């Protein structure tokens, strides 16, 4: 499934801090190895990167100007608490929306302390405690979208597979805290992105290897007319598409889990435009950040150790610089805060 030779080559290149591609540089933001770092969010106001560690049950804030990385446990009393996403609440200082276990909650955190307030539950997405939240993002109107994920099992070949195929959903959380199923019966809902004119929503169904596109109504949040934009399996690409970002040219950047890379895809033509190699086998998601929004931050994991034995670079968070398109720097969009919930 995974091109081990390519990964070994990259690790050899990663001598101290950086990997160099033809037109980009990949650097880890610290030597911290997270278990399942995911859902990176760039806050343009504070010039900070936020992300969660799903299995570690933590939220983190990284400030490039100081290189400070602060991490806090969401529930220090329970080591089994998962945290899948952290997104600021607009206009509310130190307030965030998070996915905790199978619920959506709010918490208070100053981005510096080693613990947060106790999460205040807004809504439980399911009563099945084997299913938990996976990742989420605010849409252009500041509405919160979040997916769920069931447990995994090991098949006869030793591969980890979702134990309950099509048991997950993608939800929209209303301002009143009501959870509405928008995309039902998904195995692993993951990446989300919206185009600049707010008429298209892109969505990754990881286990099916597909990036999908929906017609999107920005006023209501309604989606319709599902189509396949890109199928990694049909394109003979090893790995699974996961978390996703969109650049100002309307091209998609998707982390390739088990593929050790991030792909740039043209959603109109369905063509693969670029592959950015990451010195970690399990990239999970990406977002644009930096003062000029030209740095691609990439999270990674070290969770399926039988399939992808971890290296010292697994689970790190990376900054990709020097990305260019037509000779110009590739730029994207910052994270959108949640307006109300």
């Amino acid at each position: 499934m995974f091109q081990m030779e390519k990964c070994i080559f990259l690790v050899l290149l990663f001598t101290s801090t950086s990997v160099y591609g033809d037109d980009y540089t990949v650097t880890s933001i610290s030597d911290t190895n997270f278990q399942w770092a995911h859902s990176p969010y760039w806050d343009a106001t504070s010039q900070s990167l936020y992300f969660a560690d799903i299995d570690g049950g933590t939220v983190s804030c990284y400030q490039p100007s100081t290189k400070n990385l602060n991490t806090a446990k969401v529930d220090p009393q329970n080591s089994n608490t998962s945290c899948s996403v952290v997104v600021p609440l607009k206009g509310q200082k130190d307030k965030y929306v998070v996915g905790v276990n199978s619920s959506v909650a709010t918490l208070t955190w100053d981005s510096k302390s080693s613990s947060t307030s106790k999460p205040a539950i807004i809504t439980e997405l399911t009563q099945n405690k084997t299913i938990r939240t996976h990742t989420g993002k605010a849409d252009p109107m500041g509405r919160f979208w979040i997916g769920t994920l069931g447990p995994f099992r090991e098949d006869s070949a030793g591969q980890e597979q979702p134990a309950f195929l099509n048991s997950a959903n993608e939800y929209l959380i209303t301002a009143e805290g009501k959870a509405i199923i928008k995309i039902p019966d998904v195995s692993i809902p993951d990446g989300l992105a919206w185009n600049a004119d707010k008429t298209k929503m892109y969505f990754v169904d990881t286990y099916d290897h597909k990036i999908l596109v929906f017609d999107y109504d920005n006023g209501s949040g309604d989606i319709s007319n599902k189509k396949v934009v890109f199928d990694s399996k049909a394109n003979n690409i090893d790995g699974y598409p996961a978390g996703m970002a969109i650049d100002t040219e309307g091209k998609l950047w998707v982390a390739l889990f088990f593929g050790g890379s991030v792909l740039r895809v043209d959603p109109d033509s369905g063509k693969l435009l670029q592959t950015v190699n990451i010195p970690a086998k399990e990239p999970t998601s990406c977002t644009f950040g930096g003062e000029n929004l030209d740095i691609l931050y990439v999270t990674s994991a070290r969770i399926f150790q039988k399939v992808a034995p971890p290296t010292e670079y697994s689970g790190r968070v990376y900054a990709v610089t020097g990305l260019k398109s037509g000779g110009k720097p590739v730029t994207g969009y910052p994270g959108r805060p949640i307006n109300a919930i």
Side-chain angles (χ1 to χ4, degrees), residues 122-242:
I122 296 169
T123 183
E124 289 282 354
L125 299 181
T126 175
Q127 296 303 311
N128 183 344
K129 298 307 178 183
T130 67
I131 294 177
R132 58 185 180 177
T133 62
H134 184 46
T135 185
K137 189 176 288 188
D139 68 16
M141 288 288 285
R143 291 173 295 238
F144 188 46
W145 295 66
I146 189 167
T148 53
L149 177 67
F152 287 81
R153 61 174 174 78
E154 189 175 287
D155 65 16
S156 58
Q159 305 283 339
E160 293 282 355
Q161 310 290 357
F164 301 106
L165 294 178
N166 304 319
S167 65
N169 301 304
E170 183 72 25
Y171 295 85
L172 184 152
I173 310 301
T174 69
E176 297 76 30
K178 180 181 179 181
I180 301 173
I181 296 176
K182 302 296 286 187
I183 308 175
D185 306 326
V186 183
S187 296
I188 307 177
D190 211 311
L192 287 166
W194 289 264
N195 66 348
D197 63 7
K198 306 170 188 176
T199 59
K200 301 290 183 183
M201 186 184 91
Y202 300 99
F203 172 77
V204 172
D205 185 348
T206 294
Y207 191 69
D208 280 349
H209 299 266
K210 292 180 176 67
I211 303 176
L212 307 175
V213 63
F214 295 85
D215 290 338
Y216 167 75
D217 185 302
N218 191 46
S220 65
D222 290 340
I223 55 175
S224 59
N225 300 325
K226 179 177 73 173
K227 297 177 183 177
V228 176
V229 166
F230 186 79
D231 187 323
S232 62
K233 192 172 185 179
N235 281 274
N236 298 312
I237 296 172
D238 289 334
Y240 295 81

Side-chain angles (χ1 to χ4, degrees), residues 244-317:
M244 183 168 57
I246 190 168
D247 64 32
T248 54
E249 295 181 8
K251 306 304 188 284
L252 301 173
W253 295 79
V254 58
L256 196 64
F257 195 80
F258 285 150
S261 61
V262 177
L263 308 180
R264 190 187 193 213
V265 173
D266 185 338
D268 296 322
S269 67
K271 291 182 178 179
L272 174 63
L273 302 176
Q274 185 178 6
T275 299
V276 174
N277 295 314
I278 303 295
K281 304 170 191 178
E282 301 170 295
T284 57
S285 192
C286 56
T287 192
F288 282 95
E291 185 177 357
N292 299 313
L293 298 173
D294 58 355
I295 300 172
L296 187 70
Y297 287 100
V298 183
T299 50
S300 72
R302 52 193 296 120
I303 52 176
F304 295 122
Q305 299 192 7
K306 289 185 179 179
V307 179
T311 71
E312 63 177 298
Y313 307 109
S314 303
R316 292 191 183 184
V317 178

Side-chain angles (χ1 to χ4, degrees), residues 43-65:
D43 180 42
T45 301
S46 64
Q47 291 289 292
S48 301
L49 179 73
Y50 291 89
F51 57 92
D53 182 347
I54 296 176
D55 282 0
T58 64
V59 291
S60 292
C61 177
Y62 171 70
Q63 293 182 313
S65 62

